Amino acid sequence: MLVVAFAVQAVSALLSSVHVLVASALVCLAADAALHRWQRGLVTAFGKLHATVTVRQVVRDLLLVLGLLRIDVEPESKYLWIVCGLMVYYALHFACQALAIVVRRTRTLPVVTRNIDTSALHLDAAPPELLMHRTGQRLLTSGLPVAAGLLATAETSHLRYAAAGLALSAAFEAIGAAMLFARLLPRRKPVTADQAIEWFEKWLAEYQPTVGMYFSGGTNSAYQANMWLEPLARLEGRPIIVLRERFMVKRIASTDIPIVCLPKVADLMRLEQSTLTMLIHPSNSGKTSQVLRIPTIKHAFVNHGESDKLSSCNPYAKAYDEVWVAGPAARERYALANVGIDDRDVVEIGRPQLDVIQPYAGAPTGAYTTVLYAPTWEGWDGNPGNTSVIQAGENIVRALLADPAVRLLYKPHPLTGSVEPKAGAANLRIMEMIRAANVKRAADQSLARPAAAAAAELTRRTAELDALTTSTFRDSADDMERMLLQGAPEAGRAAAVTDATAAWEAAFWASFPVWEHQIVTDARPTVYACFNAADVLISDVSSVISDYLASEKPYAVANTSGLPEQEFRETFPTVRAGAVLTPDASGIPALLESVRNPEKDPYADDRRDLKLHLLGPSDPPSAVRFNDASRALSSRAEAHREGMAVRAAVAVIPKQRETENTPNGETVGG
C-alpha cells in the first residue's frame, strides 16, 4: 500500500490531479504510520534499502510541492519560501536527532546496576522516548502539520495553510531540540564515565563482595542464571552477580543480590583488585574467557542442568578451576568423555535448587492422574533424539488426552522452535490439541468447577507477587533511569517474595478445575512447581529428568533416537529407572497403569538408586555441600593471593645497566 500510494502520488503530481494527489498522500501517511505501529520488521527492511522514514517523508513533501507547482499557474517564485521553510524544518529535525545521539551517549554509563544504592551518582529520568529513540515516529508526528498544510493549500490555493503547518512542525522540532540541549548543560549533564567507574570502585570497596555468579548470554538464556539465584543468595559471604550484556540486567529474575553489568573488558578487570574470591558460571560463552583472565578469582562451572547429552561434558569446562556437579554420574560422564577434566577438579555438590521439590507420596488419590509432559528443545546439532516434540509429541499428547482420567500439564522448553521450524510448528499443533480437549471437557456440565472466589484470589496473589518482584518503568526509561529506580531493596523483601510465591502457586492450582489441562509457558509456575503438581513426568533425555528424580516419582523418556530400547538405556543412564516410550506412544496406557497402581511399578527401587547416583546423598543436604564447596574454593583464592603478595615482596627486579659511550660515539649497555 505504501509503495502504491507513493507511485500514485508521483503520477498525480505530474498530471496536476488535486484530489488524487491529496488522497494518495493521506493513504501514504496512514500506511507509514501503520508500519511503525504494527510492522516494525518491514520498517527495518525499508531501512536496509536506504528508504528510511526520513527519505520517505522528504519525498512525500517534495511531491506535494511539485504538485503545487504543477497545479497553480501563478509564478513559481511564490512557492520558494515553502521550500525554504521545509529546509528549515528538516534542519531542526536533524539537529534534534543529533542532540538525541549526544544525550544518549552521555546517559550510557560504563556500569549498569540493580539492587545497589546509586544516590551518590545523582541520576535522573530519561527524556521522552519520542525524542530519544522513536526517530521515525517523531518525524511522522512532527511532519503531520506540514503535510496537512500542504494538502490544504493544494485544495484551496491559500498559502497560509502551508505556512501554518510549517510553523507548527518547526516549532515541534525546535522545542524538542531545546529540551535535549538543556540536558547537556553543565548543571544537568550526568556523571562522566570516569566518575561512574570511580563510584563503582568505591562501592566495591565498601560492599566487599566475596562470592558471585558470572553470566553472559543471549536474550532467551536468562533462565540459566535464574535457577542459581536462590542458592547463591544462601551462600555465606556477600554475593554479587556480574553480567556483560546491558539487556540482561532486566532479564534476571527478582533477587536482592547486587547486580553489576560491565560490558567493557577494561572495566571488568577492575574486579581483580576487589575482595571477590570466587565466581560460579552457569553457562559457557565467548565472553567467559575474559573474566577467567583474572588470577585473583577462582572459577567454578556449575552448568544450568545435567543430562546424558554431550553438552553436559563440554571440553570448555577445563578452563575453570573446578567443575561442580550434582553426583557421581556426572563425574563418571566427564571421565568417559575424556575431554581433559582432571578428576581432582570435579566437586560433587548435589542440586541445591531441588530443595523445593516434594517427595513421592504414593499413587494419585484424586479422580485424575496429573501428567507433566516437558519436552526439551531441538538443540543445535539436528539430532532427532534431542526432542520428542517433532516425532512423538503429538502422539504422546493424543494418547494422554484419550484417557478421561488424565489431566495434562504441557511445559515445552522456552527455546522450542528457535532452531528447527518443524519443532515450533509441532509445538503449536500440540497446544491446539490441548485447547480443543479443554473445550470438549468444559461442555460436560457434570464436571466440578472451582468457586468464583478462586479466580479472584489468584488475581490478588498475582498482583501481590508482581508488586514485590517487578518494577514498572516508563516506555522512555533507559538504563540510567532504571538504576535510579532499582536501588537497594527494602529489608525483608526476599522473605516476602518467598511467602508470596508459595501463596501464588497455591492460588494458581486452586483457580483451575482439577480436570482442566494446562499449557505452561510463562515463567510462573516454575518447572519445579509443576513437578510437585504432577504424578508422573514424560520428557526427553535432559536435565529435567535428573531434577525430577529428586522426588522419586515415576517418569518416562521418549525415545526418538532410533536406537533399540536396550541400547537406548545403556547409552543414556538417566533412562534406566523409567519407562521408555516409542514415537507412536503405544506405551502410555501401561505407564498410567503403573502410576495408578504402584505395585505394578517395576522401577521404584531403581529410581532411589539412580537418584543417589545422579544427585548424590541427601545427607549432608545439597545446600550445605554447595556452601562447603564455595568456602573451600574461596580459601584457595585467598591462599593464592597471599602467595602472590609474598612473591611480590621478595622478588628482586634486576636493575638496568648504565649506558656508556664508546670513542666512536656508539652507546653500549642498557
Side-chain angles (χ1 to χ4, degrees), residues 487-519:
E490 297 180 2
R493 188 181 70 170
V497 169
T498 300
D499 295 339
T501 300
W504 181 90
E505 289 178 355
F508 176 83
W509 299 117
S511 66
F512 300 104
V514 293
W515 46 262
E516 186 175 84
H517 309 297
Q518 297 296 322
I519 300 172

PDB file of all heavy atoms in Angstrom, residues 487-519:
ATOM      1  N   GLY A 487      17.154   0.741  43.188  1.00  0.00           N
ATOM      2  CA  GLY A 487      18.243   0.861  44.141  1.00  0.00           C
ATOM      3  C   GLY A 487      18.258  -0.274  45.140  1.00  0.00           C
ATOM      4  O   GLY A 487      17.757  -1.374  44.870  1.00  0.00           O
ATOM      5  N   ALA A 488      18.835  -0.027  46.277  1.00  0.00           N
ATOM      6  CA  ALA A 488      18.940  -1.067  47.304  1.00  0.00           C
ATOM      7  C   ALA A 488      17.549  -1.541  47.718  1.00  0.00           C
ATOM      8  O   ALA A 488      16.654  -0.727  47.966  1.00  0.00           O
ATOM      9  CB  ALA A 488      19.689  -0.510  48.514  1.00  0.00           C
ATOM     10  N   PRO A 489      17.314  -2.862  47.764  1.00  0.00           N
ATOM     11  CA  PRO A 489      15.991  -3.390  48.108  1.00  0.00           C
ATOM     12  C   PRO A 489      15.652  -3.155  49.574  1.00  0.00           C
ATOM     13  O   PRO A 489      16.543  -2.996  50.423  1.00  0.00           O
ATOM     14  CB  PRO A 489      16.123  -4.886  47.804  1.00  0.00           C
ATOM     15  CG  PRO A 489      17.579  -5.169  47.946  1.00  0.00           C
ATOM     16  CD  PRO A 489      18.289  -3.929  47.489  1.00  0.00           C
ATOM     17  N   GLU A 490      14.374  -3.142  49.847  1.00  0.00           N
ATOM     18  CA  GLU A 490      13.931  -2.978  51.224  1.00  0.00           C
ATOM     19  C   GLU A 490      14.269  -4.222  52.044  1.00  0.00           C
ATOM     20  O   GLU A 490      14.300  -5.333  51.521  1.00  0.00           O
ATOM     21  CB  GLU A 490      12.422  -2.731  51.264  1.00  0.00           C
ATOM     22  CG  GLU A 490      11.984  -1.449  50.566  1.00  0.00           C
ATOM     23  CD  GLU A 490      10.481  -1.267  50.640  1.00  0.00           C
ATOM     24  OE1 GLU A 490       9.812  -2.122  51.267  1.00  0.00           O
ATOM     25  OE2 GLU A 490       9.974  -0.283  50.074  1.00  0.00           O
ATOM     26  N   ALA A 491      14.508  -4.039  53.313  1.00  0.00           N
ATOM     27  CA  ALA A 491      14.829  -5.160  54.197  1.00  0.00           C
ATOM     28  C   ALA A 491      13.654  -6.134  54.252  1.00  0.00           C
ATOM     29  O   ALA A 491      12.495  -5.725  54.366  1.00  0.00           O
ATOM     30  CB  ALA A 491      15.156  -4.638  55.590  1.00  0.00           C
ATOM     31  N   GLY A 492      13.963  -7.414  54.151  1.00  0.00           N
ATOM     32  CA  GLY A 492      12.928  -8.435  54.247  1.00  0.00           C
ATOM     33  C   GLY A 492      12.207  -8.743  52.957  1.00  0.00           C
ATOM     34  O   GLY A 492      11.268  -9.549  52.953  1.00  0.00           O
ATOM     35  N   ARG A 493      12.632  -8.118  51.850  1.00  0.00           N
ATOM     36  CA  ARG A 493      11.913  -8.360  50.602  1.00  0.00           C
ATOM     37  C   ARG A 493      12.051  -9.809  50.136  1.00  0.00           C
ATOM     38  O   ARG A 493      11.098 -10.407  49.639  1.00  0.00           O
ATOM     39  CB  ARG A 493      12.393  -7.425  49.500  1.00  0.00           C
ATOM     40  CG  ARG A 493      11.529  -7.505  48.239  1.00  0.00           C
ATOM     41  CD  ARG A 493      12.024  -6.605  47.135  1.00  0.00           C
ATOM     42  NE  ARG A 493      13.275  -7.056  46.564  1.00  0.00           N
ATOM     43  CZ  ARG A 493      13.807  -6.540  45.443  1.00  0.00           C
ATOM     44  NH1 ARG A 493      13.194  -5.545  44.836  1.00  0.00           N
ATOM     45  NH2 ARG A 493      14.949  -6.992  44.974  1.00  0.00           N
ATOM     46  N   ALA A 494      13.235 -10.394  50.291  1.00  0.00           N
ATOM     47  CA  ALA A 494      13.458 -11.762  49.825  1.00  0.00           C
ATOM     48  C   ALA A 494      12.520 -12.737  50.526  1.00  0.00           C
ATOM     49  O   ALA A 494      11.920 -13.615  49.890  1.00  0.00           O
ATOM     50  CB  ALA A 494      14.916 -12.167  50.049  1.00  0.00           C
ATOM     51  N   ALA A 495      12.371 -12.597  51.839  1.00  0.00           N
ATOM     52  CA  ALA A 495      11.463 -13.478  52.579  1.00  0.00           C
ATOM     53  C   ALA A 495      10.018 -13.247  52.153  1.00  0.00           C
ATOM     54  O   ALA A 495       9.228 -14.202  52.026  1.00  0.00           O
ATOM     55  CB  ALA A 495      11.614 -13.240  54.074  1.00  0.00           C
ATOM     56  N   ALA A 496       9.670 -11.995  51.899  1.00  0.00           N
ATOM     57  CA  ALA A 496       8.311 -11.689  51.449  1.00  0.00           C
ATOM     58  C   ALA A 496       8.035 -12.302  50.086  1.00  0.00           C
ATOM     59  O   ALA A 496       6.925 -12.791  49.826  1.00  0.00           O
ATOM     60  CB  ALA A 496       8.114 -10.176  51.413  1.00  0.00           C
ATOM     61  N   VAL A 497       9.028 -12.298  49.213  1.00  0.00           N
ATOM     62  CA  VAL A 497       8.863 -12.903  47.885  1.00  0.00           C
ATOM     63  C   VAL A 497       8.659 -14.405  48.006  1.00  0.00           C
ATOM     64  O   VAL A 497       7.818 -14.996  47.312  1.00  0.00           O
ATOM     65  CB  VAL A 497      10.082 -12.585  46.998  1.00  0.00           C
ATOM     66  CG1 VAL A 497      10.053 -13.420  45.726  1.00  0.00           C
ATOM     67  CG2 VAL A 497      10.107 -11.107  46.652  1.00  0.00           C
ATOM     68  N   THR A 498       9.416 -15.051  48.883  1.00  0.00           N
ATOM     69  CA  THR A 498       9.262 -16.496  49.082  1.00  0.00           C
ATOM     70  C   THR A 498       7.853 -16.839  49.544  1.00  0.00           C
ATOM     71  O   THR A 498       7.216 -17.768  49.021  1.00  0.00           O
ATOM     72  CB  THR A 498      10.293 -16.995  50.111  1.00  0.00           C
ATOM     73  OG1 THR A 498      11.614 -16.716  49.629  1.00  0.00           O
ATOM     74  CG2 THR A 498      10.151 -18.494  50.336  1.00  0.00           C
ATOM     75  N   ASP A 499       7.354 -16.101  50.519  1.00  0.00           N
ATOM     76  CA  ASP A 499       5.998 -16.355  51.022  1.00  0.00           C
ATOM     77  C   ASP A 499       4.948 -16.059  49.953  1.00  0.00           C
ATOM     78  O   ASP A 499       3.983 -16.817  49.790  1.00  0.00           O
ATOM     79  CB  ASP A 499       5.737 -15.501  52.262  1.00  0.00           C
ATOM     80  CG  ASP A 499       6.633 -15.881  53.430  1.00  0.00           C
ATOM     81  OD1 ASP A 499       7.154 -17.011  53.421  1.00  0.00           O
ATOM     82  OD2 ASP A 499       6.810 -15.047  54.336  1.00  0.00           O
ATOM     83  N   ALA A 500       5.131 -14.966  49.227  1.00  0.00           N
ATOM     84  CA  ALA A 500       4.160 -14.595  48.199  1.00  0.00           C
ATOM     85  C   ALA A 500       4.156 -15.593  47.053  1.00  0.00           C
ATOM     86  O   ALA A 500       3.101 -15.881  46.464  1.00  0.00           O
ATOM     87  CB  ALA A 500       4.462 -13.193  47.681  1.00  0.00           C
ATOM     88  N   THR A 501       5.315 -16.156  46.735  1.00  0.00           N
ATOM     89  CA  THR A 501       5.389 -17.154  45.664  1.00  0.00           C
ATOM     90  C   THR A 501       4.644 -18.418  46.056  1.00  0.00           C
ATOM     91  O   THR A 501       3.898 -18.993  45.245  1.00  0.00           O
ATOM     92  CB  THR A 501       6.858 -17.485  45.348  1.00  0.00           C
ATOM     93  OG1 THR A 501       7.529 -16.291  44.934  1.00  0.00           O
ATOM     94  CG2 THR A 501       6.955 -18.527  44.251  1.00  0.00           C
ATOM     95  N   ALA A 502       4.832 -18.873  47.288  1.00  0.00           N
ATOM     96  CA  ALA A 502       4.117 -20.060  47.763  1.00  0.00           C
ATOM     97  C   ALA A 502       2.605 -19.834  47.746  1.00  0.00           C
ATOM     98  O   ALA A 502       1.831 -20.708  47.333  1.00  0.00           O
ATOM     99  CB  ALA A 502       4.589 -20.431  49.161  1.00  0.00           C
ATOM    100  N   ALA A 503       2.178 -18.649  48.177  1.00  0.00           N
ATOM    101  CA  ALA A 503       0.746 -18.340  48.182  1.00  0.00           C
ATOM    102  C   ALA A 503       0.208 -18.260  46.761  1.00  0.00           C
ATOM    103  O   ALA A 503      -0.918 -18.705  46.482  1.00  0.00           O
ATOM    104  CB  ALA A 503       0.501 -17.026  48.916  1.00  0.00           C
ATOM    105  N   TRP A 504       1.014 -17.711  45.844  1.00  0.00           N
ATOM    106  CA  TRP A 504       0.572 -17.624  44.447  1.00  0.00           C
ATOM    107  C   TRP A 504       0.415 -19.004  43.825  1.00  0.00           C
ATOM    108  O   TRP A 504      -0.562 -19.262  43.105  1.00  0.00           O
ATOM    109  CB  TRP A 504       1.564 -16.803  43.631  1.00  0.00           C
ATOM    110  CG  TRP A 504       1.133 -16.662  42.191  1.00  0.00           C
ATOM    111  CD1 TRP A 504       0.359 -15.677  41.665  1.00  0.00           C
ATOM    112  CD2 TRP A 504       1.432 -17.567  41.112  1.00  0.00           C
ATOM    113  NE1 TRP A 504       0.144 -15.902  40.329  1.00  0.00           N
ATOM    114  CE2 TRP A 504       0.797 -17.064  39.971  1.00  0.00           C
ATOM    115  CE3 TRP A 504       2.153 -18.747  41.016  1.00  0.00           C
ATOM    116  CZ2 TRP A 504       0.870 -17.689  38.721  1.00  0.00           C
ATOM    117  CZ3 TRP A 504       2.232 -19.388  39.781  1.00  0.00           C
ATOM    118  CH2 TRP A 504       1.605 -18.869  38.652  1.00  0.00           C
ATOM    119  N   GLU A 505       1.380 -19.888  44.069  1.00  0.00           N
ATOM    120  CA  GLU A 505       1.300 -21.229  43.490  1.00  0.00           C
ATOM    121  C   GLU A 505       0.062 -21.969  43.988  1.00  0.00           C
ATOM    122  O   GLU A 505      -0.633 -22.644  43.215  1.00  0.00           O
ATOM    123  CB  GLU A 505       2.569 -22.018  43.814  1.00  0.00           C
ATOM    124  CG  GLU A 505       3.799 -21.518  43.063  1.00  0.00           C
ATOM    125  CD  GLU A 505       5.054 -22.270  43.442  1.00  0.00           C
ATOM    126  OE1 GLU A 505       4.971 -23.123  44.365  1.00  0.00           O
ATOM    127  OE2 GLU A 505       6.112 -22.019  42.843  1.00  0.00           O
ATOM    128  N   ALA A 506      -0.231 -21.846  45.272  1.00  0.00           N
ATOM    129  CA  ALA A 506      -1.432 -22.488  45.810  1.00  0.00           C
ATOM    130  C   ALA A 506      -2.682 -21.914  45.161  1.00  0.00           C
ATOM    131  O   ALA A 506      -3.612 -22.656  44.794  1.00  0.00           O
ATOM    132  CB  ALA A 506      -1.483 -22.311  47.324  1.00  0.00           C
ATOM    133  N   ALA A 507      -2.716 -20.594  44.984  1.00  0.00           N
ATOM    134  CA  ALA A 507      -3.877 -19.964  44.358  1.00  0.00           C
ATOM    135  C   ALA A 507      -3.984 -20.333  42.883  1.00  0.00           C
ATOM    136  O   ALA A 507      -5.092 -20.478  42.350  1.00  0.00           O
ATOM    137  CB  ALA A 507      -3.787 -18.450  44.520  1.00  0.00           C
ATOM    138  N   PHE A 508      -2.844 -20.496  42.218  1.00  0.00           N
ATOM    139  CA  PHE A 508      -2.853 -20.849  40.793  1.00  0.00           C
ATOM    140  C   PHE A 508      -3.513 -22.198  40.564  1.00  0.00           C
ATOM    141  O   PHE A 508      -4.434 -22.330  39.750  1.00  0.00           O
ATOM    142  CB  PHE A 508      -1.423 -20.860  40.254  1.00  0.00           C
ATOM    143  CG  PHE A 508      -1.312 -21.312  38.821  1.00  0.00           C
ATOM    144  CD1 PHE A 508      -1.535 -20.418  37.794  1.00  0.00           C
ATOM    145  CD2 PHE A 508      -0.991 -22.628  38.510  1.00  0.00           C
ATOM    146  CE1 PHE A 508      -1.440 -20.836  36.467  1.00  0.00           C
ATOM    147  CE2 PHE A 508      -0.891 -23.050  37.196  1.00  0.00           C
ATOM    148  CZ  PHE A 508      -1.113 -22.151  36.163  1.00  0.00           C
ATOM    149  N   TRP A 509      -3.062 -23.220  41.279  1.00  0.00           N
ATOM    150  CA  TRP A 509      -3.628 -24.553  41.068  1.00  0.00           C
ATOM    151  C   TRP A 509      -5.084 -24.619  41.524  1.00  0.00           C
ATOM    152  O   TRP A 509      -5.891 -25.339  40.928  1.00  0.00           O
ATOM    153  CB  TRP A 509      -2.797 -25.603  41.801  1.00  0.00           C
ATOM    154  CG  TRP A 509      -1.373 -25.679  41.342  1.00  0.00           C
ATOM    155  CD1 TRP A 509      -0.261 -25.410  42.083  1.00  0.00           C
ATOM    156  CD2 TRP A 509      -0.904 -26.024  40.035  1.00  0.00           C
ATOM    157  NE1 TRP A 509       0.877 -25.563  41.326  1.00  0.00           N
ATOM    158  CE2 TRP A 509       0.519 -25.951  40.059  1.00  0.00           C
ATOM    159  CE3 TRP A 509      -1.528 -26.391  38.847  1.00  0.00           C
ATOM    160  CZ2 TRP A 509       1.301 -26.223  38.949  1.00  0.00           C
ATOM    161  CZ3 TRP A 509      -0.738 -26.655  37.720  1.00  0.00           C
ATOM    162  CH2 TRP A 509       0.658 -26.573  37.787  1.00  0.00           C
ATOM    163  N   ALA A 510      -5.435 -23.847  42.547  1.00  0.00           N
ATOM    164  CA  ALA A 510      -6.815 -23.870  43.042  1.00  0.00           C
ATOM    165  C   ALA A 510      -7.780 -23.135  42.121  1.00  0.00           C
ATOM    166  O   ALA A 510      -8.997 -23.341  42.204  1.00  0.00           O
ATOM    167  CB  ALA A 510      -6.874 -23.260  44.441  1.00  0.00           C
ATOM    168  N   SER A 511      -7.259 -22.284  41.242  1.00  0.00           N
ATOM    169  CA  SER A 511      -8.130 -21.464  40.399  1.00  0.00           C
ATOM    170  C   SER A 511      -8.638 -22.210  39.174  1.00  0.00           C
ATOM    171  O   SER A 511      -9.512 -21.704  38.462  1.00  0.00           O
ATOM    172  CB  SER A 511      -7.389 -20.201  39.955  1.00  0.00           C
ATOM    173  OG  SER A 511      -6.308 -20.530  39.097  1.00  0.00           O
ATOM    174  N   PHE A 512      -8.085 -23.403  38.905  1.00  0.00           N
ATOM    175  CA  PHE A 512      -8.499 -24.165  37.730  1.00  0.00           C
ATOM    176  C   PHE A 512      -9.227 -25.434  38.154  1.00  0.00           C
ATOM    177  O   PHE A 512      -8.944 -25.997  39.219  1.00  0.00           O
ATOM    178  CB  PHE A 512      -7.277 -24.545  36.877  1.00  0.00           C
ATOM    179  CG  PHE A 512      -6.505 -23.362  36.369  1.00  0.00           C
ATOM    180  CD1 PHE A 512      -5.303 -22.996  36.945  1.00  0.00           C
ATOM    181  CD2 PHE A 512      -6.988 -22.604  35.315  1.00  0.00           C
ATOM    182  CE1 PHE A 512      -4.591 -21.909  36.483  1.00  0.00           C
ATOM    183  CE2 PHE A 512      -6.285 -21.509  34.840  1.00  0.00           C
ATOM    184  CZ  PHE A 512      -5.082 -21.163  35.423  1.00  0.00           C
ATOM    185  N   PRO A 513     -10.128 -25.911  37.334  1.00  0.00           N
ATOM    186  CA  PRO A 513     -10.758 -27.204  37.630  1.00  0.00           C
ATOM    187  C   PRO A 513      -9.708 -28.313  37.641  1.00  0.00           C
ATOM    188  O   PRO A 513      -8.726 -28.260  36.884  1.00  0.00           O
ATOM    189  CB  PRO A 513     -11.745 -27.388  36.475  1.00  0.00           C
ATOM    190  CG  PRO A 513     -11.941 -26.029  35.893  1.00  0.00           C
ATOM    191  CD  PRO A 513     -10.661 -25.292  36.104  1.00  0.00           C
ATOM    192  N   VAL A 514      -9.890 -29.309  38.466  1.00  0.00           N
ATOM    193  CA  VAL A 514      -8.903 -30.386  38.572  1.00  0.00           C
ATOM    194  C   VAL A 514      -8.813 -31.201  37.288  1.00  0.00           C
ATOM    195  O   VAL A 514      -7.845 -31.938  37.081  1.00  0.00           O
ATOM    196  CB  VAL A 514      -9.246 -31.313  39.757  1.00  0.00           C
ATOM    197  CG1 VAL A 514      -9.086 -30.580  41.073  1.00  0.00           C
ATOM    198  CG2 VAL A 514     -10.653 -31.887  39.615  1.00  0.00           C
ATOM    199  N   TRP A 515      -9.825 -31.062  36.422  1.00  0.00           N
ATOM    200  CA  TRP A 515      -9.826 -31.826  35.174  1.00  0.00           C
ATOM    201  C   TRP A 515      -9.264 -31.035  33.986  1.00  0.00           C
ATOM    202  O   TRP A 515      -9.087 -31.576  32.892  1.00  0.00           O
ATOM    203  CB  TRP A 515     -11.258 -32.248  34.814  1.00  0.00           C
ATOM    204  CG  TRP A 515     -12.279 -31.148  34.942  1.00  0.00           C
ATOM    205  CD1 TRP A 515     -13.117 -30.914  35.986  1.00  0.00           C
ATOM    206  CD2 TRP A 515     -12.550 -30.111  33.982  1.00  0.00           C
ATOM    207  NE1 TRP A 515     -13.904 -29.811  35.755  1.00  0.00           N
ATOM    208  CE2 TRP A 515     -13.580 -29.292  34.518  1.00  0.00           C
ATOM    209  CE3 TRP A 515     -12.045 -29.803  32.726  1.00  0.00           C
ATOM    210  CZ2 TRP A 515     -14.097 -28.196  33.847  1.00  0.00           C
ATOM    211  CZ3 TRP A 515     -12.565 -28.703  32.052  1.00  0.00           C
ATOM    212  CH2 TRP A 515     -13.578 -27.908  32.611  1.00  0.00           C
ATOM    213  N   GLU A 516      -8.962 -29.772  34.184  1.00  0.00           N
ATOM    214  CA  GLU A 516      -8.558 -28.919  33.064  1.00  0.00           C
ATOM    215  C   GLU A 516      -7.070 -29.063  32.757  1.00  0.00           C
ATOM    216  O   GLU A 516      -6.213 -28.936  33.627  1.00  0.00           O
ATOM    217  CB  GLU A 516      -8.879 -27.459  33.373  1.00  0.00           C
ATOM    218  CG  GLU A 516      -8.625 -26.524  32.194  1.00  0.00           C
ATOM    219  CD  GLU A 516      -9.059 -25.105  32.500  1.00  0.00           C
ATOM    220  OE1 GLU A 516      -8.268 -24.367  33.110  1.00  0.00           O
ATOM    221  OE2 GLU A 516     -10.199 -24.751  32.149  1.00  0.00           O
ATOM    222  N   HIS A 517      -6.765 -29.343  31.493  1.00  0.00           N
ATOM    223  CA  HIS A 517      -5.372 -29.421  31.049  1.00  0.00           C
ATOM    224  C   HIS A 517      -4.758 -28.017  31.054  1.00  0.00           C
ATOM    225  O   HIS A 517      -5.442 -27.025  30.815  1.00  0.00           O
ATOM    226  CB  HIS A 517      -5.285 -30.010  29.639  1.00  0.00           C
ATOM    227  CG  HIS A 517      -6.030 -31.300  29.474  1.00  0.00           C
ATOM    228  ND1 HIS A 517      -5.696 -32.443  30.161  1.00  0.00           N
ATOM    229  CD2 HIS A 517      -7.108 -31.634  28.704  1.00  0.00           C
ATOM    230  CE1 HIS A 517      -6.521 -33.427  29.815  1.00  0.00           C
ATOM    231  NE2 HIS A 517      -7.391 -32.953  28.944  1.00  0.00           N
ATOM    232  N   GLN A 518      -3.453 -27.954  31.299  1.00  0.00           N
ATOM    233  CA  GLN A 518      -2.784 -26.664  31.380  1.00  0.00           C
ATOM    234  C   GLN A 518      -1.594 -26.605  30.417  1.00  0.00           C
ATOM    235  O   GLN A 518      -0.832 -27.561  30.290  1.00  0.00           O
ATOM    236  CB  GLN A 518      -2.286 -26.394  32.804  1.00  0.00           C
ATOM    237  CG  GLN A 518      -3.375 -26.305  33.848  1.00  0.00           C
ATOM    238  CD  GLN A 518      -4.307 -25.141  33.597  1.00  0.00           C
ATOM    239  OE1 GLN A 518      -3.884 -24.069  33.174  1.00  0.00           O
ATOM    240  NE2 GLN A 518      -5.588 -25.354  33.851  1.00  0.00           N
ATOM    241  N   ILE A 519      -1.470 -25.465  29.732  1.00  0.00           N
ATOM    242  CA  ILE A 519      -0.291 -25.165  28.914  1.00  0.00           C
ATOM    243  C   ILE A 519       0.525 -24.142  29.689  1.00  0.00           C
ATOM    244  O   ILE A 519       0.074 -23.015  29.917  1.00  0.00           O
ATOM    245  CB  ILE A 519      -0.684 -24.609  27.534  1.00  0.00           C
ATOM    246  CG1 ILE A 519      -1.528 -25.629  26.770  1.00  0.00           C
ATOM    247  CG2 ILE A 519       0.559 -24.233  26.734  1.00  0.00           C
ATOM    248  CD1 ILE A 519      -2.113 -25.083  25.475  1.00  0.00           C
TER     249      ILE A 519
END
